[in-house]
Amino acid sequence: EYYSKNLAREVMKGMRETALKCQALGGRPPFGYKVNPETRRYEVNEEEADAVRLIFRQVCEGHGYSEIITELNRLGYKTRNGNPFGKNSITEILRNEKYKGIYIFNRAVSYSHNRTRNNHQSKPEDEIIRIPGGMPALVDEKTFDRVAAIIKGRSRSAPNSRAKETYLLAGKVFCGVCKSSYNGNRQFAGRNKSLLVTYRCAKYNNHGDLRCRNKAVYR
């Protein structure tokens, strides 16, 4: 046990020293970047970088995720896995400070209490390495901050409280058209704004021209 903990400390020490040089630490580089095999530093992948700049530009111009996805599909852009862009992949790009040139290491909490990784939860600031100018910026700081303000404004305009519903078939029902999962959905509809609780295809919204039109099913 002592050996294991000591080894982990030594590995982390080496990784921190590498991070302070703004070098890649293995794994797949962020979308829009590649790693120079000699210097081990990040460089711009121009083909992917054009897609990143397009996403930031479209948000600044007031376009929603669905419109952005449609435009990316029209131009033939794909994610690293070869899949069409979705809302989640675009959100990850828009929130990544690396795109404004900040090298970041040791930000995300490795595991939660149930041993699942949570990239959205950050460690304390004194444990995070942030080096401005540590990697090439794909968008300027003014554009990045403007997009962050737009996203924050959209989240404020969303409803703050929603009644919780129980979806016993979550993860067990799948779309017969596109094979995506059917997720719980709650909305008020009709002349009397009656509450409708349904299962609906995950690709019903925010997938641009790839939106699935399969019908919702009453819970």
Side-chain angles (χ1 to χ4, degrees):
E1 182 182 1
Y2 170 79
Y3 173 80
S4 178
K5 290 181 178 179
N6 186 62
L7 179 61
R9 284 193 294 268
E10 291 301 316
V11 169
M12 177 56 72
K13 180 181 177 182
M15 293 175 68
R16 290 181 67 88
E17 291 175 354
T18 300
L20 291 172
K21 299 176 185 177
C22 299
Q23 294 178 326
L25 288 159
R28 193 157 50 178
F31 185 84
Y33 293 101
K34 59 184 178 181
V35 177
N36 186 307
E38 295 181 1
T39 65
R40 294 173 57 197
R41 298 194 64 164
Y42 290 107
E43 296 179 347
V44 178
N45 180 326
E46 290 296 343
E47 183 177 351
E48 294 179 349
D50 287 340
V52 173
R53 297 186 185 106
L54 171 66
I55 292 170
F56 276 90
R57 185 168 63 251
Q58 292 264 300
V59 174
C60 287
E61 293 174 356
H63 297 285
Y65 288 130
S66 181
E67 295 173 294
I68 296 173
I69 292 169
T70 297
E71 182 65 9
L72 290 170
N73 292 334
R74 185 184 69 82
L75 296 173
Y77 289 115
K78 302 284 186 181
T79 65
R80 282 282 172 76
N81 295 327
N83 299 322
F85 278 88
K87 180 182 177 181
N88 290 340
S89 52
I90 290 177
T91 301
E92 289 294 329
I93 288 175
L94 295 175
R95 292 178 175 174
N96 195 336
E97 293 180 289
K98 291 178 180 178
Y99 292 113
K100 63 175 180 179
I102 299 180
Y103 180 97
I104 303 173
F105 169 71
N106 201 38
R107 180 197 63 80
V109 173
S110 298
Y111 295 97
S112 63
H113 66 281
N114 59 356
R115 303 300 297 169
T116 57
R117 189 171 180 85
N118 184 358
N119 287 325
H120 297 289
Q121 186 176 357
S122 297
K123 292 182 178 180
E125 283 297 322
D126 58 350
E127 296 183 24
I128 304 173
I129 292 178
R130 277 190 172 89
I131 304 177
M135 56 196 306
L138 300 190
V139 296
D140 60 81
E141 187 171 357
K142 183 178 179 181
T143 299
F144 187 94
D145 293 344
R146 182 182 175 190
V147 167
I150 292 173
I151 294 175
K152 188 175 182 180
R154 288 176 180 176
S155 63
R156 283 178 178 174
S157 63
N160 291 323
S161 60
R162 296 177 182 176
K164 293 183 179 180
E165 300 288 345
T166 301
Y167 299 100
L168 297 177
L169 299 179
K172 298 180 175 63
V173 181
F174 297 88
C175 179
V177 175
C178 69
K179 309 304 179 184
S180 298
S181 64
Y182 253 51
N183 301 331
N185 181 66
R186 184 177 185 273
Q187 68 183 58
F188 292 92
R191 181 179 301 175
N192 298 323
K193 299 299 180 183
S194 301
L195 174 63
L196 295 179
V197 183
T198 63
Y199 289 97
R200 191 168 67 180
C201 180
K203 288 189 175 181
Y204 188 81
N205 286 329
N206 299 316
H207 284 270
D209 53 351
L210 296 180
R211 173 183 177 185
C212 182
R213 301 289 180 174
N214 204 359
K215 294 181 179 181
V217 179
Y218 289 118
R219 182 184 61 175

